[in-house]
Amino acid sequence: MDKDWTWKTLRVDLQARDYSIEERSSDWVRKFAGGRAFGAYHLFQEVPHDADPLGPENKLIFATGILTQSKLSGASRFSTLAKSPLTGGYGEAEAGGWWGPELVAAGFNAIIIENQADTPVYLWIHDGEVEIRDAQKLWGMTNEECYAEMRAELGKVRIAQIGPAGENLVRYAHIVNELHHVNGRTGMGAVMGSKKLKAIAVSGSATPRIANPELFGELRSWHNKYLLESFYGKYFREHGTASGLEYQNVMGGLPTHNFQQMTFTHASEISSEALEKTYLEGHGTCYGCVLRCKPLAKDEADKRVIPELGGPEYETLAALGSLCGVSDLAAIVRANALTNSYGLDSISLGASIAFAMDCFEASLLTKEDTGGLELTFGNATAMLTLIEDIAYRRGLGDLLAEGVKRAAQEIGPDADQFVFHVKGQEFPMHDPRGKISQALAFSVCPTGADHNTSPFDDMYAKKGVFLDNAAPLGILEPVAQDSLGPEKVRLYTYLHLERSLYNSLLLCQFVATPTTPLTITKLTEIVRAVTGWDMSEWEMMKVGERGITLARLFNVTHGIDKADDWLPDRMFQTIEIGPKMGKVVSPESLRGAIDLYYGMMGWDSEGVPTKAKLAELGLSELISI
Ligand code: SF4
């Protein structure tokens, strides 16, 4: 079997307009696997602690994983990593789609972008060849305009790119590939814009490296059979994440009017059912994935709403719908298209607009500030106007392009009560008061508030399939839903290490545990079949731990400390209406959970990874840095 897994990193210096190629051995790759662990290792060593996230010293990394080209459903993702302009700390965002596998086919597993070009450029990488090309005529184009222009010139290539928001350094600008697969969070598009890098086009003909094709084929068939035939697979393929909106509303977990309420009177008007009856054209997919969950929307009456720009998922329906009090589905579908056209993270965007609406209703912003907009909750026209103004940094949009933390500092102390962020990153569409694991997850996640590292408490509160799928991690007993006690911290710690492994392997969370039987045991079998290494579950989990520990080290050395592992004050006040009425985060419980988490991770009482932990993870070379 082929055990040679040489890893090729393309290092591009945009200032010198030159590049080099670095190779890593199989043993090194086995330790890091790609994505988070690979990227955090490089960021920690290469980005100075005082680097401006939008300056030349920051680096922007694109990293695939060892499964990326395998055609395992859900394994097509790639990471973008840099110092985040939103948080000033560790930035990371993953995307599915088609770009990652094509980069591997073109001969590279990762790219590290250094310095800044003096004029706009794009990279053209094809079968081992690398060209740095002029992009002045592309600069200023929307994503769909730029995509059409590049495709006309280069043919059927895969393109990761930024829109006007990235060019204009909106702190939550995203990177998009194939127009609707986004590296959404932490402002990676702004970093790309600061480097004057408009796009990276890739094309290649290398075939996947599979050490044991027969065994891998069997495992892949088993996995696909579940995704195609199970109730979960059929339901998710038909409705996608949007189906969560009405459920969240019924359960009292749908953020509404900037987290003032957790139910939305008009939820049925912006639900997946409403979307399916109106603007949903169908579903797309990512390379190799049979789950096909990506919504594609079309509005015959609106030229901006085209299937190529995707359709709204749960987070977008909530952020640009209920959070802003908007019940006009046509407006939300248009807003979704605009986010991918201009290149904006829909979560931070919706949160920034909802924050401004709250400020307007409290008279902290006036019509003079808004350029005449009546910026009340529910005003869909005002929301759509602000999206354009943010992307192009016009008027109030220029302030909101900075994110809620900086905008509140500018507006004044009274605005603090309306901001919901951790470390500067806006809350996703989940309220920790009703989902208590998220209180710990939002607090300690290296990228700030992020809902993807945490289990949902109700899944593990009783015996059943979710708990069964966690059994290979040693989680055998139900854990009380509303507890933040030691059992919940242990549950979170084990599951977030597994998720951290996914972020290094670059595996989509929708195809693995807890919703499918692709457990750590099965995943290890797959990695063995693909690589030929005698990898164990132990080693796999250590990859996840290496990734999260390196991300923590980056934050610690860039000035983010224990005090930043905390929630906004509103989370310590009870929810006043709805099914979750009375739910609250206890500050004492959260403090205890965070301290216990540090201990379980082998970090000291300030949350700093110890020398012993670094040595145990095989990272001794970093101790002196
Ligand atoms: S489950 Fe959906 S998002 Fe995940 S890889 Fe498949 S199509 Fe892409």
Side-chain angles (χ1 to χ4, degrees):
M1 289 197 298
D2 176 15
K3 294 185 184 180
D4 178 26
W5 199 273
T6 308
W7 174 281
K8 277 193 184 173
T9 300
L10 173 66
R11 190 178 285 272
V12 179
D13 181 339
L14 289 177
Q15 188 179 355
R17 301 215 177 195
D18 201 1
Y19 68 89
S20 58
I21 296 168
E22 297 166 3
E23 293 194 359
R24 293 283 192 180
S25 67
S26 289
D27 285 352
W28 194 92
V29 182
R30 180 167 169 162
K31 207 164 133 183
F32 292 91
R36 170 180 286 177
F38 169 87
Y41 181 82
H42 280 280
L43 287 181
F44 175 65
Q45 294 186 87
E46 297 184 25
V47 178
H49 67 90
D50 55 354
D52 176 355
L54 299 174
E57 290 179 317
N58 199 5
K59 304 213 174 174
L60 177 61
I61 298 177
F62 295 76
T64 64
I66 52 178
L67 300 179
T68 299
Q69 208 195 3
S70 68
K71 290 198 175 154
L72 177 75
S73 283
S76 65
R77 296 170 80 76
F78 69 98
S79 279
T80 50
L81 309 101
K83 183 170 182 175
S84 166
L86 201 54
T87 69
Y90 176 77
E92 175 193 319
E94 291 78 35
W98 303 80
W99 189 88
E102 197 70 28
L103 176 67
V104 181
F108 298 102
N109 303 95
I111 306 172
I112 300 178
I113 305 289
E114 300 183 335
N115 289 316
Q116 295 171 324
D118 51 357
T119 57
V121 295
Y122 75 87
L123 288 183
W124 169 217
I125 302 168
H126 47 105
D127 278 325
E129 300 289 317
V130 180
E131 297 177 46
I132 303 171
R133 290 188 168 187
D134 180 72
Q136 291 188 77
K137 72 174 182 185
L138 303 173
W139 203 252
M141 287 184 179
T142 63
N143 276 321
E144 64 272 29
E145 289 167 347
C146 176
Y147 185 81
E149 186 80 17
M150 290 184 73
R151 277 255 175 143
E153 185 172 335
L154 302 175
K156 194 169 180 285
V157 301
R158 302 296 183 185
I159 302 168
Q161 61 187 97
I162 56 167
E167 296 174 12
N168 294 325
L169 310 183
V170 176
R171 287 184 188 269
Y172 44 87
H174 72 38
I175 297 170
V176 64
N177 78 90
E178 301 310 292
L179 294 180
H180 62 271
H181 300 277
V182 302
N183 302 85
R185 307 229 68 196
T186 66
M188 297 297 96
V191 178
M192 195 160 161
S194 75
K195 298 191 175 301
K196 289 203 163 47
L197 178 60
K198 179 69 175 172
I200 305 179
V202 292
S203 174
S205 54
T207 51
R209 285 187 287 186
I210 308 290
N212 188 337
E214 199 177 329
L215 177 58
F216 176 69
E218 284 171 22
L219 290 163
R220 182 168 172 254
S221 298
W222 162 83
H223 184 226
N224 282 347
K225 185 171 164 44
Y226 183 85
L227 297 178
L228 288 168
E229 296 179 7
S230 65
F231 172 79
Y232 162 74
K234 287 177 180 166
Y235 188 83
F236 198 70
R237 192 162 49 257
E238 198 170 331
H239 305 292
T241 60
S243 60
L245 189 131
E246 282 221 88
Y247 174 76
Q248 293 295 339
N249 193 52
V250 169
M251 300 302 288
L254 181 63
T256 300
H257 288 204
N258 199 31
F259 288 90
Q260 287 179 23
Q261 300 154 25
M262 296 309 294
T263 54
F264 186 43
T265 319
H266 302 283
S268 63
E269 295 162 45
I270 63 169
S271 65
S272 61
E273 200 182 335
L275 187 65
E276 286 159 23
K277 284 182 184 155
T278 51
Y279 306 108
L280 191 74
E281 177 85 348
H283 286 93
T285 193
C286 304
Y287 169 92
C289 185
V290 299
L291 204 46
R292 298 189 69 84
C293 78
K294 302 296 289 181
L296 306 173
K298 185 176 180 183
D299 183 354
E300 298 288 356
D302 186 343
K303 282 196 309 232
R304 299 298 298 266
V305 182
I306 54 174
E308 289 79 1
L309 290 170
E313 302 195 39
Y314 167 74
E315 293 290 331
T316 305
L317 286 166
L320 294 163
S322 58
L323 198 73
C324 294
V326 170
S327 59
D328 179 346
L329 187 56
I332 299 170
V333 170
R334 180 181 174 88
N336 178 77
L338 295 182
T339 63
N340 287 339
S341 176
Y342 299 139
L344 290 157
D345 169 33
S346 62
I347 297 175
S348 288
L349 174 69
S352 298
I353 294 173
F355 157 75
M357 288 173 164
D358 232 350
C359 288
F360 185 83
E361 294 206 346
S363 302
L364 299 179
L365 290 173
T366 65
K367 276 194 174 179
E368 205 175 314
D369 301 307
T370 65
L373 285 178
E374 187 72 20
L375 197 54
T376 49
F377 285 112
N379 188 338
T381 306
M383 176 189 74
L384 289 169
T385 303
L386 264 185
I387 291 174
E388 306 231 357
D389 288 349
I390 289 169
Y392 290 96
R393 282 188 171 272
R394 295 187 293 236
L396 180 63
D398 188 35
L399 179 64
L400 298 179
E402 293 291 291
V404 297
K405 179 182 169 188
R406 289 174 177 81
Q409 285 165 351
E410 190 67 28
I411 292 169
D414 287 347
D416 272 351
Q417 60 188 307
F418 303 133
V419 291
F420 299 96
H421 72 85
V422 176
K423 301 182 178 71
Q425 174 156 266
E426 291 76 11
F427 270 28
M429 298 303 106
H430 305 271
D431 187 325
R433 290 172 295 182
K435 299 173 184 173
I436 201 68
S437 283
Q438 299 289 0
L440 177 59
F442 283 18
S443 298
V444 300
C445 179
T447 56
D450 185 316
H451 59 294
N452 288 314
T453 69
S454 168
F456 287 123
D457 303 88
D458 51 350
M459 290 177 161
Y460 300 93
K462 55 183 181 299
K463 296 257 184 196
V465 66
F466 301 130
L467 204 58
D468 291 348
N469 288 338
L473 296 176
I475 297 165
L476 305 173
E477 294 298 326
V479 180
Q481 185 160 341
D482 290 335
S483 165
L484 256 186
E487 293 80 14
K488 184 61 67 68
V489 178
R490 175 176 180 264
L491 174 72
Y492 171 73
T493 301
Y494 283 16
L495 292 177
H496 100 308
L497 290 176
E498 191 179 44
R499 287 282 172 95
S500 183
L501 168 67
Y502 294 175
N503 283 6
S504 294
L505 288 175
L506 277 318
L507 186 68
C508 176
Q509 60 175 307
F510 301 136
V511 304
T513 56
T515 45
T516 88
L518 185 59
T519 61
I520 186 67
T521 308
K522 277 290 181 191
L523 192 54
T524 305
E525 286 178 39
I526 286 170
V527 168
R528 291 166 76 122
V530 169
T531 61
W533 306 330
D534 56 348
M535 196 97 170
S536 67
E537 287 97 324
W538 169 265
E539 277 186 281
M540 295 272 280
M541 292 299 284
K542 285 293 164 189
V543 170
E545 190 175 357
R546 232 166 253 127
I548 201 87
T549 302
L550 285 163
R552 182 76 186 184
L553 271 184
F554 183 92
N555 274 346
V556 166
T557 50
H558 287 253
I560 291 182
D561 59 22
K562 182 176 183 174
D564 296 301
D565 292 344
W566 202 242
L567 297 175
D569 288 346
R570 180 87 67 88
M571 295 300 111
F572 306 112
Q573 298 162 14
T574 51
I575 296 175
E576 287 173 3
I577 52 171
K580 299 272 188 197
M581 190 167 73
K583 298 284 186 192
V584 67
V585 179
S586 148
E588 294 78 21
S589 298
L590 181 60
R591 181 74 269 148
I594 291 172
D595 289 345
L596 194 54
Y597 167 79
Y598 291 168
M600 287 187 189
M601 290 297 292
W603 302 349
D604 69 16
S605 59
E606 293 300 306
V608 180
T610 61
K611 289 179 181 175
K613 175 47 68 180
L614 294 183
E616 190 268 329
L617 290 172
L619 298 171
S620 300
E621 74 268 27
L622 304 183
I623 288 174
S624 61
I625 296 179

